[in-house]
Amino acid sequence: MTLSFVTERTDLTAALRWAERLNLHEGIDNHFSCAVDPDGHRFLVNPLGVHWREMRASDLVLADGDRRILEGNHVVEDTAFFIHSRLHKRHPRAKAVLHTHMPYATALTVIENGRLEMVSQNALQFYGRIAYLDDYEGLALDESEGDRMAEAMGDKTVLFLGHHGVIVTGRTIHEAWNDLYFLERAAMVQVLAMSTGRKLRPIPERVMEQMVQAMSTNPDALDQPRKHLEALKRILDVESPEYKS
């Protein structure tokens, strides 16, 4: 059987491989998905039991919101179905949905009133784009928990899950990957700064608004996510070319 959606498979596998290299993963757990329909009903998702370091494009499973496997030889974790199918359905603009327990961002979910503070240039990329679901209700083992996450996300693109991890969405895989990477970088700087015991120094509102405007209109900034993932794929092409297979 010829597998479909080659470009999406390659990009999603590259994101998984680099998430493992950068310690944004938990072995065979956590999940990335990419919707292949405008309504989000069908999506590619990494399967249960394949480590992100060994992930290949052909390992990805094509599934649908009814929990059917349409392409692939692996099973999909229950929590992946219930989180990703509901987010894709509720937010069809979110073509890519990346869920991780990456360490620094997750650290902010386990402290009282943990929030990504606007104290670094990287953090400003997320100004006005983050939702928080502070109440932890355990594993997502039914549609209601996926619906609760989708509801909490609202019109934002990033969701912090209390005591759990984060969900980052994007209109493309490279957009979501770029946000995932810089979200963890911003959280890392904040956690390191907090570890000094000194008070965080916020960026003035005026500067934040200027930066948001610049990042949303500058051609280089708008094309940066695509260039970022393409650069990472070039490295994989040399070091681990089997990821495409």
Side-chain angles (χ1 to χ4, degrees):
M1 177 178 63
T2 300
L3 295 175
S4 55
F5 309 108
V6 174
T7 299
E8 290 87 350
R9 286 177 179 275
T10 301
D11 286 355
L12 198 61
T13 304
L16 288 158
R17 287 271 187 135
W18 273 97
E20 187 278 330
R21 288 189 177 205
L22 298 174
N23 197 34
L24 310 183
H25 71 113
E26 294 216 309
I28 63 170
D29 297 315
N30 298 171
H31 10 85
F32 289 3
S33 67
C34 173
V36 297
D37 294 327
D39 63 1
H41 184 63
R42 294 187 302 161
F43 52 92
L44 294 167
V45 62
N46 58 295
L48 177 64
V50 181
H51 196 282
W52 293 18
R53 183 182 297 183
E54 63 177 345
M55 194 71 64
R56 296 171 184 251
S58 58
D59 289 323
L60 298 178
V61 171
L62 180 65
D64 69 16
D66 298 320
R67 302 191 69 191
R68 294 179 297 185
I69 302 297
L70 308 177
E71 288 182 5
N73 299 316
H74 302 284
V75 299
V76 177
E77 184 185 7
D78 285 344
T79 61
F81 264 119
F82 292 126
I83 292 174
H84 293 260
S85 65
R86 308 313 287 176
L87 280 163
H88 285 304
K89 180 178 180 179
R90 177 69 179 266
H91 302 289
R93 72 178 187 280
K95 180 174 182 179
V97 175
L98 314 183
H99 170 52
T100 75
H101 303 165
M102 53 191 188
Y104 288 101
T106 301
L108 297 180
T109 75
V110 302
I111 60 177
E112 190 73 27
N113 298 317
R115 298 291 185 265
L116 184 71
E117 304 293 346
M118 297 296 109
V119 293
S120 70
Q121 180 169 289
N122 283 344
L124 290 184
Q125 298 180 55
F126 303 98
Y127 179 68
R129 296 176 51 206
I130 301 177
Y132 296 89
L133 182 59
D134 292 324
D135 297 331
Y136 179 64
E137 298 290 344
L139 294 174
L141 295 178
D142 56 42
E143 290 182 351
S144 65
E145 184 63 7
D147 286 336
R148 194 171 76 98
M149 294 178 183
E151 175 71 21
M153 180 165 278
D155 63 353
K156 309 302 183 184
T157 60
V158 176
L159 178 64
F160 274 68
L161 303 167
H163 308 283
H164 184 174
V166 296
I167 295 173
V168 177
T169 68
R171 294 168 296 183
T172 62
I173 296 169
H174 58 255
E175 184 180 275
W177 162 258
N178 197 64
D179 276 351
L180 188 80
Y181 173 83
F182 281 105
L183 182 67
E184 180 70 348
R185 298 288 292 183
M188 179 182 71
V189 168
Q190 181 178 327
V191 170
L192 290 173
M194 292 168 65
S195 71
T196 68
R198 303 284 296 276
K199 186 177 180 180
L200 296 177
R201 190 159 57 101
I203 296 171
E205 189 79 21
R206 170 185 58 83
V207 178
M208 286 195 285
E209 292 175 355
Q210 290 173 353
M211 282 290 294
V212 170
Q213 176 66 18
M215 288 187 287
S216 64
T217 57
N218 180 274
D220 289 337
L222 292 172
D223 198 34
Q224 191 271 346
R226 181 190 65 80
K227 290 181 177 178
H228 186 187
L229 187 59
E230 289 300 315
L232 298 180
K233 286 164 63 180
R234 288 195 298 272
I235 296 172
L236 289 175
D237 287 344
V238 174
E239 298 180 355
S240 304
E242 77 285 351
Y243 85 98
K244 290 183 173 181
S245 63

